[in-house]
Amino acid sequence: MAGKSKGGKSKAKAQAEGQGVSVEPEVPVADVVEEAKPENGQVSEAPAADGGAADVEKVEGDAAVAAQAAEKPAEGELHLYPVTVKTQSGEKLELQLSPGDSVIDVKQFLLDAPETCFYTCYDLILHTKDGLAHQLEDYNEISEIADITTGGCTLQMIAATYDERSIRSHLRRVRELLSLSSLHVSLSTSLALQQESAQAKNADTGKTAGQELDGLNFMEDNTVALTSLLASAPAEIKCVDSIVFSSFNPPPSYRRLHGDLIYIDVVTLEGNKYCITGSSKSFYVNASNGSILDSRPLKQSHEASTLVGLLQNVSAKFNKGFREILDHKASAHPFENVQALLPVTSWLGAYPVQEHKRDAARAEDSVVLSYGTELIGMQRDWNEELQSCREFPHGNPQERILRGRALYKVTCDFVDAAVKGAVGVINRCIPPINPTDPECFHMYVHNNIFFSFAVDSDYEHISKDQKPDCQNGPGRSMPVPSPDLGAKADRDHADSSVALNSKTEEPNSVLEASAEAQIADSEQATYASANNDLKGTKSYQEADIPGLYNLAMAIIDYRGHRVVAQSIIPGILQGDKSDSLLYGSVDNGKKISWNEAFHAKVVEAANRLHVKEHSVLDGSGNPVKLAATVECKGIVGSDDRHYILDLMRVTPRDSNYIGLQHRFCVLRPELVASFVEVESTKKSPVQKVPDIPAELNGPESRDQHDSASDATAASVDKDDKSDESPAPTPAESNDSTVEILFNPNVFTEYKLAGSPEVSLRTTLCLLSLSRFKQHCALRYSQEIAADEALVKKVGSYLLDTVIPKFVQNLCSLDVSPMDGQTLTDVLHSNGINVRYLGKVAGMIKHLPHLWDLFSAEIIVRSAKHVVKEILRQSPDHNIAPAVAHFLNCFAGKVLAASTKGSAGSTQSKTQKAQKLSPSASSRKGQSVYSHLTSDGVWSDIKEFARHKYQFEVPDDARVGAKKIAVLRNLCQKVGVTIAARKYELNSAAPFQPSDILNLQPIVKHSVPTCTDARKLMEAGKIRMAEGTLNEAYALFSEAFSLLQQINGPMHKDAANCCRYLAMVLYHAGDIAGAIVQQHRELIINERCLGLDHPDTAHSYGNMALFYHGLNQTELALRHMSRTLLLLSLASGPDHPDVAATLINVAMMYQDASNMSTALRYLQAALTKNERILGPDHVQTAVCYHALAIAFSSMGNYKLSVQHETKTHGILVKQLGSDDSRTKDSENWLKTFKEREKQAHPGLYQAVQAAAIKYGDGSANVKKSLNAAVVGEGVPRGRGVDERGAKATAEVRKKAAARGVHLRNGPAANRVSELNHILNLINSAASASSASPTANTQRTESEGPQSNGPALNGAKEAKDTNRLSAKVDGQAPVGLGASLELKKQKSKQKA
């Protein structure tokens, strides 16, 4: 919506300026627009150190250019025109509208504006200046009706008549308005408001900021932090005592003829009781009294077109309370009023648990078990809605916006309905469509969504044997991706609505092998195949081939079950088409269908997905040309659309995991894209197909062939996902560039055929038919061998190149994941499957924080499968006790009464023999969890980790599991919500059943992303890295505008845009504007990622750095305190990012002249880095250098020399003496020595003599530091206290000599010193890496970003504190150093 009103704030103002595709330099929130653009070209006043003036001038010039660009409208900018709106009550407000706005957009804004938020049923009349009146329909664009660019246009709201549906929607809207539950106030907003009030109170006292945070020790016991994470819910403002449906409903027939639609009972705060009639034209108080309906109006004045208007007339307290609610919502940030379409679930619940009070309205809403269906009207046809949206025109930007918005909204609604339906399926509230089949084969159709179960096959593999019947999986055997094929051609059951096309597709030969096919289906319908099918669906969605459709899909994990939800192909459940299967196979390749038109569309998609067109032999030996896997299915629905499904193997099979048990191991699309990019740069234009078999003779390929020779012999038996081989075809050999395509059916049981084309010239040269056949056979074998060789090459590329490079980045802190989610994200962004966790873990044992992170992730993922098995077998009344008992076994010490060691393992095997049997669950429910012991649970965890990840869980893992970070990770993966209280994790049973507050579904979905916005963001990052701020700002603004129009502001990509806009504004010197954008990112991250997500923690850190840049140190420290709290929950106290944050805090205290506290934080950071990275790591050197600078600020140059000497030694060892950072350290060392000589020339000579006699004293660095810290408990009698006294005396003498009171301000030379330390820290994180910008805050990629390097926070702090001019052209830390990293990596690839 492109409008805004003249008064009040609302979420629509946040969306107000985001309707155009064009660039908007202004920030799209009306109330803060003036702060959001680069207003000046000045950077911070901190002088650059050592010749940084030229760089400062460059940044100033760029900032000026950006500011100039922001002052004038961007080319093609969206133009807004004022339009006056006259409400039903006669009020007037002004909107800023664009001709491209739709009427439904205008209504959405009016729904958010305080003046019109309670109007839901009205028509809009557009009056033009020529006197014409036009009635507007919801889906019309304003430009289609009239030209508002000429001015003089007005909109009039005319009350429309209610119907049963709209009047219930109106009542629901009134209830929403009277509640503050939809308002999500960020802690940052509260802190800012508190700071404003505190400043007003302390304005006259002269009280200085910089009070010390809660001590450092709080991070060591972060179980206490759980109570501080959740913000208290806002106090409800009472407007009315109750609003409920009256028991007079439904209206009698004779009153319906007079327009009565609904009766409502209202009790006001004054204690008055009213019975209100909702009619088709208005609401009024009727004369009913007692139990007899009297429909006559009580008073003529008690009538209004809205319920709110009526209540305002009859209750003064309602009027007052309603205004308070509107004012409270208006005072919040606009984004805090916006509802997220895909909200994130929390693993913590309020403690103590809030009292559950009576609420008749809530009870009414819960009475009907709708499970996502519409209570009034027809069910939504999800497939038709989705495919119709995909058919929207998208030739120009505005059309793409409309199409993207429609797709996103429909898909989000589908996901919401699918989650509710899946919960109903798992709770056995929705009956199956094939109830006569075994329960594990049950399928469900609800709300036009098809539901089926998937099997936890990984957990099955650790049992002693596998059953070839329905016990093989706890739910569904149908290949997850093909609900549309219903029962699958391989199953013969009586339900004709399910046997549908799967039987008609092969009417004569399919039914005979029912049992065998059921086994094959059960093997396909696994967790892995569901995940792969979802990835394949996303890939085909992104390919976006006209005329080729796929289904909406969601995967829901709940109560131990995995349910796959999909939209339904029209006609597939009615079996009305005998020829619906056009492409692929339903019987594992025995018969392969093929259609030329369908094949042409699949080939087009395959070229975009790097899939090779190849030939496969069917059961009769006939070659069939495919451009997809054999098991994929191309179906024509009754709507004549071509659908492709069962996309489980869009990427190649992983040649490193060959075997029946690994049949679903495929490579990630990110790895395929990376491999194709690398290989494309290597391929020469003259490369030809006959040369490909020669690769097998090459040294690299020969090794690959030898290493996989045994596996290749057995690979023919595998029916799982095959890998696509990037072998060029003969037609490609003549092209200027060689396209790398993969055969998806290699290393499977399907029989492959080579390319049958042989040139006429070659044929004539053959002397006999036998030689011709030999030639063809050789040709076929060469092509298949080439396909297999290239698939092996991809696997080798993963093992030999990608994983070692990833490990190198981890060690050098180029990427720094903090928890299980960010670790998974960074693995996936690098193209590494999670199954390689064990391999990567074995390569980073020397770094404790990484070893703890990887081992904890493996343990949690293994424990997840164990607890899911328990949940599957637990009846409803035992869920909370079962979860609590498992958590006690996992984190505590639970012993069996008699049989101690084998109980757990025996129980697990018993569980595996009873899948999805309600009767068995009810009989065995108690024993499912009561017989579990800690030893048994950990035995299963170790067995699963060994089987799945080839990882031996260390003996001390049970001790390491007693951490909040591990508990948080496990709860998030299972969907458990626990009470936010302090837990004694060292006790035998730290959890009680009352601590388990909720069990929530975990959802994976195929919601589309805005590729145009992501491309704009990537371009903006490149421009920002190059220093062209004006272009970067324009690109980020346009990306944000697109995202806001398509996805709304509550989207993680919108948060990324806000972060980059904040960075650009920071570079331009507009720190206030940067804070506005950073605040948005923080709010979005809290809502879309979670309160304690690492990205949210970094958002708080960046806010703190920006506030510090505005000299609001106390507010900055409060944000830093929140950062430390969130980091400690996500990763625990031992992580490089925590050390970085401690350095940031120290610098803030140093600026506030609180040197004692600053030194304590620096010492804590040094201790952490030495423990987790080692004493010789570059980040440890940074800590020493920071301490040297701090002591120099205090005038204690002797300690400065000691610490800088240590810094120099580490840098020489790690980087060499010729590195610029080493030379900088050498210069600093000389400077400190010179200052020491100047300050105490006589003392200097004495110290030199003592050093010669007793050594350099470097071993006493820590003792010296402790001595210098005021109040530090240091043993007496060893000269340490005297040293501390001397350090303090030197500080005072130096301050007195300069005429500076140290307590009232920083030392005079500190600015330039800190500038220099900033430069060193900015470059230090990349010391171990070839990239000069290795210290990235986040490695940007799809989805959530991985967290930045260890010291990103440190450099961020100092950057924001006083250095906007980046000496080496680097972006400010915490904001965009990752852009530099991407730029460098792209250059390396080139």
Side-chain angles (χ1 to χ4, degrees):
M1 202 12 251
K4 63 176 181 179
S5 65
K6 60 183 179 182
K9 302 176 183 178
S10 70
K11 80 176 180 184
K13 288 190 291 182
Q15 302 171 350
E17 300 162 23
Q19 282 299 304
V21 189
S22 55
V23 178
E24 286 185 273
E26 292 186 343
V27 175
V29 173
D31 49 46
V32 290
V33 155
E34 65 277 1
E35 297 178 348
K37 55 187 178 183
E39 295 178 351
N40 57 72
Q42 301 299 322
V43 292
S44 301
E45 296 179 1
D50 296 334
D55 295 316
V56 174
E57 293 174 0
K58 179 181 183 299
V59 176
E60 287 179 347
D62 290 337
V65 173
Q68 181 180 4
E71 295 291 338
K72 60 183 180 181
E75 182 180 356
E77 181 183 355
L78 184 69
H79 294 284
L80 303 178
Y81 302 92
V83 177
T84 301
V85 179
K86 184 178 179 181
T87 68
Q88 297 181 39
S89 61
E91 294 183 75
K92 291 185 178 181
L93 67 154
E94 186 178 273
L95 300 182
Q96 298 291 330
L97 300 180
S98 166
D101 289 334
S102 65
V103 176
I104 201 169
D105 290 333
V106 179
K107 287 190 174 182
Q108 180 62 45
F109 173 72
L110 293 173
L111 195 63
D112 297 326
E115 301 88 344
T116 55
C117 60
F118 49 87
Y119 294 109
T120 62
C121 187
Y122 58 88
D123 294 323
L124 282 177
I125 306 296
L126 176 63
H127 299 275
T128 58
K129 67 178 182 178
D130 55 6
L132 297 178
H134 306 272
Q135 183 168 349
L136 304 181
E137 300 295 336
D138 285 349
Y139 294 97
N140 286 343
E141 288 188 8
I142 296 178
S143 59
E144 299 174 356
I145 308 300
D147 183 11
I148 64 173
T149 62
T150 58
C153 295
T154 60
L155 283 171
Q156 184 179 5
M157 300 173 63
I158 303 295
T161 57
Y162 291 99
D163 55 28
E164 294 224 19
R165 182 186 183 94
S166 60
I167 203 166
R168 282 168 169 77
S169 298
H170 181 84
L171 180 59
R172 189 181 307 114
R173 174 62 178 169
V174 171
R175 287 174 174 172
E176 291 175 357
L177 289 174
L178 300 183
S179 173
L180 293 176
S181 60
S182 61
L183 183 63
H184 303 270
V185 180
S186 171
L187 177 64
S188 179
T189 306
S190 303
L191 292 176
L193 295 176
Q194 294 173 8
Q195 179 71 8
E196 290 180 4
S197 59
Q199 286 178 345
K201 292 179 181 179
N202 300 330
D204 300 331
T205 62
K207 182 179 179 181
T208 59
Q211 296 180 351
E212 185 171 356
L213 296 173
D214 297 339
L216 298 174
N217 292 332
F218 85 94
M219 296 186 59
E220 302 301 330
D221 182 18
N222 53 15
T223 56
V224 183
L226 294 182
T227 60
S228 305
L229 177 64
L230 301 179
S232 58
E236 288 290 339
I237 301 175
K238 290 286 288 184
C239 298
V240 66
D241 191 61
S242 67
I243 301 178
V244 297
F245 286 103
S246 172
S247 55
F248 286 130
N249 287 305
S253 59
Y254 63 88
R255 287 307 305 169
R256 286 185 178 273
L257 299 179
H258 290 81
D260 289 6
L261 298 174
I262 196 172
Y263 300 121
I264 305 168
D265 287 336
V266 174
V267 180
T268 65
L269 295 180
E270 292 89 351
N272 299 324
K273 297 181 180 180
Y274 298 101
C275 182
I276 296 176
T277 297
S279 68
S280 58
K281 63 177 182 178
S282 64
F283 292 85
Y284 63 88
V285 179
N286 61 43
S288 299
N289 188 10
S291 59
I292 304 299
L293 174 67
D294 186 349
S295 58
R296 295 173 300 170
L298 184 63
K299 291 182 180 180
Q300 196 63 32
S301 60
H302 291 175
E303 184 174 1
S305 62
T306 65
L307 182 59
V308 169
L310 176 61
L311 294 176
Q312 287 175 331
N313 293 334
V314 301
S315 172
K317 290 186 177 180
F318 175 88
N319 197 9
K320 178 183 176 182
F322 187 65
R323 287 299 164 193
E324 289 181 3
I325 287 179
L326 293 182
D327 292 342
H328 189 76
K329 290 184 177 181
S331 65
H333 191 282
F335 283 6
E336 292 171 345
N337 283 306
V338 180
Q339 299 303 307
L341 291 180
L342 298 170
V344 66
T345 57
S346 174
W347 67 282
L348 286 177
Y351 183 83
V353 180
Q354 297 180 353
E355 296 177 345
H356 193 68
K357 299 180 180 179
R358 291 181 180 271
D359 188 340
R362 182 188 64 232
E364 288 171 354
D365 292 338
S366 64
V367 165
V368 181
L369 296 177
S370 63
Y371 291 106
T373 59
E374 294 283 345
L375 297 182
I376 301 176
M378 296 179 59
Q379 293 184 350
R380 296 178 65 174
D381 188 339
W382 299 107
N383 185 75
E384 181 60 31
E385 288 188 36
L386 181 67
Q387 312 311 341
S388 297
C389 291
R390 286 178 179 161
E391 291 171 348
F392 280 6
H394 49 281
N396 58 57
Q398 187 62 32
E399 289 178 347
R400 285 197 294 273
I401 288 175
L402 294 176
R403 179 177 186 258
R405 182 193 306 171
L407 278 172
Y408 184 76
K409 181 65 168 62
V410 170
T411 311
C412 288
D413 289 349
F414 169 82
V415 171
D416 181 66
V419 171
K420 295 175 181 177
V423 171
V425 167
I426 294 172
N427 290 336
R428 299 183 296 278
C429 295
I430 297 174
I433 60 176
N434 54 334
T436 59
D437 280 1
E439 191 167 2
C440 56
F441 296 124
H442 280 176
M443 295 169 292
Y444 307 80
V445 174
H446 177 73
N447 196 12
N448 281 326
I449 301 175
F450 182 91
F451 297 95
S452 59
F453 283 98
V455 177
D456 189 356
S457 62
D458 286 320
Y459 193 79
E460 291 298 316
H461 282 310
I462 69 173
S463 61
K464 59 183 180 181
D465 59 311
Q466 299 189 26
K467 306 293 183 182
D469 56 9
C470 63
Q471 294 181 2
N472 191 32
R476 269 286 305 124
S477 68
M478 192 189 96
V480 174
S482 56
D484 13 281
L485 288 180
K488 233 24 178 164
D490 32 38
R491 248 192 348 265
D492 182 16
H493 52 66
D495 194 336
S496 61
S497 66
V498 181
L500 48 99
N501 297 335
S502 54
K503 294 182 180 179
T504 59
E505 287 154 12
E506 184 137 55
N508 298 323
S509 60
V510 192
L511 303 180
E512 69 221 5
S514 175
E516 178 185 353
Q518 287 185 8
I519 298 174
D521 272 352
S522 66
E523 291 175 348
Q524 285 186 329
T526 63
Y527 279 21
S529 64
N531 287 332
N532 292 344
D533 189 32
L534 182 63
K535 287 187 291 186
T537 300
K538 289 181 179 179
S539 297
Y540 273 82
Q541 282 181 356
E542 294 172 359
D544 198 11
I545 303 301
L548 189 62
Y549 301 88
N550 49 11
L551 306 179
M553 181 178 180
I555 299 174
I556 300 97
D557 291 316
Y558 180 64
R559 285 186 60 173
H561 300 286
R562 168 161 287 191
V563 172
V564 181
Q566 292 173 302
S567 58
I568 302 175
I569 295 180
I572 203 70
L573 293 179
Q574 287 72 42
D576 58 351
K577 300 195 70 172
S578 60
D579 56 348
S580 61
L581 183 67
L582 300 182
Y583 201 77
S585 174
V586 296
D587 54 4
N588 293 324
K590 294 180 180 178
K591 178 182 178 182
I592 302 176
S593 301
W594 191 87
N595 177 274
E596 184 176 359
F598 203 108
H599 180 70
K601 297 173 184 177
V602 175
V603 168
E604 186 178 354
N607 290 333
R608 301 185 186 184
L609 301 175
H610 309 293
V611 177
K612 178 184 177 182
E613 184 181 15
H614 59 284
S615 296
V616 179
L617 300 179
D618 62 12
S620 303
N622 301 318
V624 180
K625 186 180 294 185
L626 297 176
T629 57
V630 173
E631 71 273 8
C632 88
K633 294 159 191 68
I635 296 175
V636 57
S638 59
D639 55 357
D640 290 329
R641 292 189 179 105
H642 289 179
Y643 296 88
I644 186 168
L645 45 138
D646 281 10
L647 304 171
M648 294 175 291
R649 291 191 292 113
V650 175
T651 53
R653 206 80 190 247
D654 190 347
S655 61
N656 302 314
Y657 284 83
I658 296 297
L660 182 60
Q661 70 275 21
H662 303 305
R663 62 193 181 283
F664 293 114
C665 294
V666 298
L667 300 175
R668 290 199 59 84
E670 297 89 347
L671 179 73
V672 173
S674 173
F675 177 80
V676 168
E677 183 179 358
V678 171
E679 288 297 307
S680 296
T681 60
K682 296 179 181 178
K683 296 283 185 180
S684 63
V686 297
Q687 190 170 5
K688 298 181 181 180
V689 173
D691 298 331
I692 294 178
E695 291 179 19
L696 298 175
N697 299 325
E700 179 181 358
S701 300
R702 187 184 304 115
D703 294 339
Q704 298 168 8
H705 180 71
D706 293 342
S707 63
S709 57
D710 297 335
T712 304
S715 66
V716 182
D717 300 329
K718 317 311 176 271
D719 68 328
D720 199 6
K721 318 197 174 212
S722 58
D723 297 337
E724 313 155 357
S725 322
T729 61
E732 294 168 341
S733 61
N734 297 327
D735 295 341
S736 58
T737 59
V738 177
E739 188 176 7
I740 300 177
L741 301 174
F742 298 86
N743 185 337
N745 288 312
V746 296
F747 297 127
T748 65
E749 83 282 12
Y750 305 121
K751 298 178 181 180
L752 301 177
S755 175
E757 292 101 358
V758 179
S759 65
L760 177 62
R761 181 179 179 182
T762 303
T763 306
L764 294 176
C765 292
L766 301 176
L767 300 180
S768 66
L769 180 61
S770 60
R771 292 182 59 186
F772 175 73
K773 292 181 178 181
Q774 292 174 3
H775 173 83
C776 290
L778 177 62
R779 186 76 181 186
Y780 297 164
S781 62
Q782 287 179 343
E783 185 169 355
I784 295 173
D787 290 346
E788 294 179 350
L790 287 170
V791 169
K792 295 176 185 176
K793 190 172 184 179
V794 182
S796 298
Y797 172 72
L798 173 62
L799 290 179
D800 302 336
T801 303
V802 175
I803 290 180
K805 178 61 178 177
F806 176 69
V807 171
Q808 179 185 350
N809 292 339
L810 287 173
C811 297
S812 63
L813 303 180
D814 285 3
V815 292
S816 184
M818 297 200 63
D819 64 349
Q821 182 59 52
T822 52
L823 174 61
T824 302
D825 293 337
V826 74
L827 281 169
H828 288 172
S829 65
N830 284 271
I832 303 174
N833 302 86
V834 173
R835 59 178 170 270
Y836 287 95
L837 272 173
K839 180 174 181 60
V840 179
M843 303 170 70
I844 43 86
K845 287 184 177 180
H846 59 288
L847 293 178
H849 74 284
L850 291 177
W851 171 254
D852 291 345
L853 176 63
F854 275 81
S855 59
E857 180 67 10
I858 293 174
I859 290 170
V860 166
R861 285 179 174 271
S862 303
K864 175 185 69 174
H865 291 268
V866 179
V867 71
K868 281 186 174 183
E869 181 70 13
I870 298 172
L871 288 173
R872 278 195 289 270
Q873 302 300 320
S874 298
D876 295 353
H877 57 274
N878 274 340
I879 291 179
V883 174
H885 184 81
F886 172 83
L887 292 177
N888 288 331
C889 293
F890 181 74
K893 183 64 176 178
V894 177
L895 302 176
S898 56
T899 58
K900 177 161 104 170
S902 60
S905 300
T906 304
Q907 180 60 34
S908 66
K909 295 176 182 178
T910 304
Q911 296 164 7
K912 294 164 194 172
Q914 302 167 357
K915 305 296 183 183
L916 261 192
S917 174
S919 58
S921 297
S922 60
R923 293 193 307 268
K924 300 292 185 179
Q926 185 68 17
S927 62
V928 164
Y929 72 89
S930 61
H931 294 167
L932 290 176
T933 65
S934 294
D935 292 339
V937 166
W938 278 95
S939 174
D940 284 348
I941 290 174
K942 292 180 178 180
E943 185 180 358
F944 188 94
R946 189 181 303 112
H947 161 77
K948 176 72 174 179
Y949 303 107
Q950 294 79 49
F951 180 81
E952 292 294 334
V953 176
D955 296 334
D956 59 350
R958 295 174 66 170
V959 177
K962 298 177 183 294
K963 296 179 180 178
I964 288 297
V966 178
L967 175 64
R968 168 184 175 270
N969 193 1
L970 179 60
C971 289
Q972 287 179 332
K973 283 182 167 57
V974 181
V976 173
T977 300
I978 63 174
R981 69 173 182 88
K982 181 179 179 180
Y983 295 96
E984 297 296 337
L985 295 181
N986 290 322
S987 63
F991 298 94
Q992 301 298 325
S994 59
D995 293 326
I996 312 303
L997 302 182
N998 198 4
L999 191 61
Q1000 304 174 89
I1002 305 299
V1003 187
K1004 298 179 181 180
H1005 51 71
S1006 58
V1007 174
T1009 57
C1010 181
T1011 55
D1012 287 346
R1014 289 193 172 183
K1015 291 177 181 177
L1016 288 170
M1017 290 172 60
E1018 291 299 322
K1021 288 185 283 187
I1022 294 174
R1023 296 296 182 271
M1024 185 169 54
E1026 294 171 349
T1028 54
L1029 298 182
N1030 55 340
E1031 296 182 17
Y1033 187 86
L1035 290 166
F1036 289 135
S1037 298
E1038 185 175 357
F1040 185 78
S1041 175
L1042 281 175
L1043 289 168
Q1044 194 163 241
Q1045 294 174 84
I1046 295 174
N1047 304 327
M1050 288 298 115
H1051 194 275
K1052 59 185 179 181
D1053 287 344
N1056 293 336
C1057 273
C1058 291
R1059 183 175 72 254
Y1060 291 123
L1061 284 169
M1063 185 196 327
V1064 173
L1065 293 168
Y1066 164 78
H1067 273 297
D1070 184 6
I1071 299 181
I1075 287 177
V1076 170
Q1077 295 290 351
Q1078 188 62 44
H1079 189 199
R1080 292 179 182 174
E1081 189 222 358
L1082 191 153
I1083 294 173
I1084 298 172
N1085 280 340
E1086 282 188 334
R1087 300 282 301 285
C1088 297
L1089 300 179
L1091 292 176
D1092 57 347
H1093 192 278
D1095 286 359
T1096 305
H1098 287 299
S1099 296
Y1100 273 100
N1102 290 344
M1103 284 291 291
L1105 304 177
F1106 288 148
Y1107 277 125
H1108 186 59
L1110 291 180
N1111 295 322
Q1112 299 186 29
T1113 304
E1114 184 174 353
L1115 186 56
L1117 287 173
R1118 291 183 183 274
H1119 280 77
M1120 275 299 182
S1121 177
R1122 181 71 171 182
T1123 303
L1124 288 171
L1125 167 67
L1126 300 183
L1127 293 180
S1128 67
L1129 289 177
S1131 66
D1134 292 334
H1135 194 277
D1137 281 18
V1138 175
T1141 306
L1142 295 179
I1143 295 180
N1144 289 342
V1145 175
M1147 293 302 151
M1148 293 180 183
Y1149 281 122
Q1150 189 170 335
D1151 289 344
S1153 302
N1154 191 341
M1155 298 304 299
S1156 170
T1157 305
L1159 289 175
R1160 289 182 60 225
Y1161 277 91
L1162 286 175
Q1163 174 63 21
L1166 175 62
T1167 302
K1168 288 183 183 299
N1169 277 337
E1170 285 186 329
R1171 181 169 66 248
I1172 61 182
L1173 299 176
D1176 294 330
H1177 198 278
V1178 174
Q1179 298 296 343
T1180 307
V1182 170
C1183 291
Y1184 279 115
H1185 184 68
L1187 283 165
I1189 293 294
F1191 285 124
S1192 175
S1193 301
M1194 298 171 61
N1196 192 335
Y1197 298 115
K1198 179 179 179 181
L1199 290 178
S1200 295
V1201 171
Q1202 291 179 354
H1203 287 78
E1204 193 59 39
T1205 301
K1206 186 71 173 176
T1207 301
H1208 184 260
I1210 295 174
L1211 294 179
V1212 169
K1213 182 177 180 180
Q1214 297 294 333
L1215 308 177
S1217 57
D1218 295 334
D1219 190 89
S1220 60
R1221 287 155 289 186
T1222 306
K1223 293 181 179 179
D1224 286 341
S1225 176
E1226 186 176 352
N1227 293 333
W1228 271 105
L1229 187 58
K1230 293 178 181 178
T1231 302
F1232 291 146
K1233 290 181 178 179
E1234 291 296 327
R1235 291 179 181 176
E1236 184 180 14
K1237 290 180 182 179
Q1238 295 173 5
H1240 304 285
L1243 180 62
Y1244 177 76
Q1245 296 177 358
V1247 171
Q1248 290 291 339
I1252 295 175
K1253 183 175 182 180
Y1254 299 107
D1256 59 4
S1258 60
N1260 295 324
V1261 169
K1262 290 185 180 179
K1263 292 183 180 180
S1264 301
L1265 176 61
N1266 291 335
V1269 177
V1270 178
E1272 194 76 31
V1274 181
R1276 296 181 178 274
R1278 299 184 182 180
V1280 180
D1281 285 339
E1282 290 75 12
R1283 245 187 259 178
K1286 287 181 181 180
T1288 304
E1290 288 179 4
V1291 172
R1292 292 176 179 173
K1293 288 180 182 179
K1294 181 175 180 62
R1298 297 184 177 182
V1300 176
H1301 297 287
L1302 186 58
R1303 294 185 180 181
N1304 296 330
N1309 290 338
R1310 189 185 305 160
V1311 170
S1312 61
E1313 293 169 351
L1314 287 180
N1315 287 341
H1316 205 113
I1317 183 181
L1318 173 63
N1319 298 334
L1320 181 63
I1321 292 179
N1322 281 341
S1323 57
S1326 61
S1328 304
S1329 171
S1331 172
T1333 54
N1335 46 353
T1336 64
Q1337 159 105 8
R1338 305 174 190 181
T1339 302
E1340 290 296 329
S1341 65
E1342 297 180 21
Q1345 299 75 24
S1346 61
N1347 303 312
L1351 271 237
N1352 55 3
K1355 51 184 186 179
E1356 291 168 15
K1358 288 169 276 188
D1359 278 351
T1360 310
N1361 293 350
R1362 29 175 151 251
L1363 193 61
S1364 293
K1366 303 301 293 178
V1367 173
D1368 291 325
Q1370 293 180 346
V1373 180
L1375 295 175
S1378 60
L1379 307 182
E1380 290 280 346
L1381 177 63
K1382 287 205 165 193
K1383 179 182 174 184
Q1384 294 294 334
K1385 288 185 175 179
S1386 63
K1387 289 183 177 179
Q1388 292 175 5
K1389 290 180 180 180

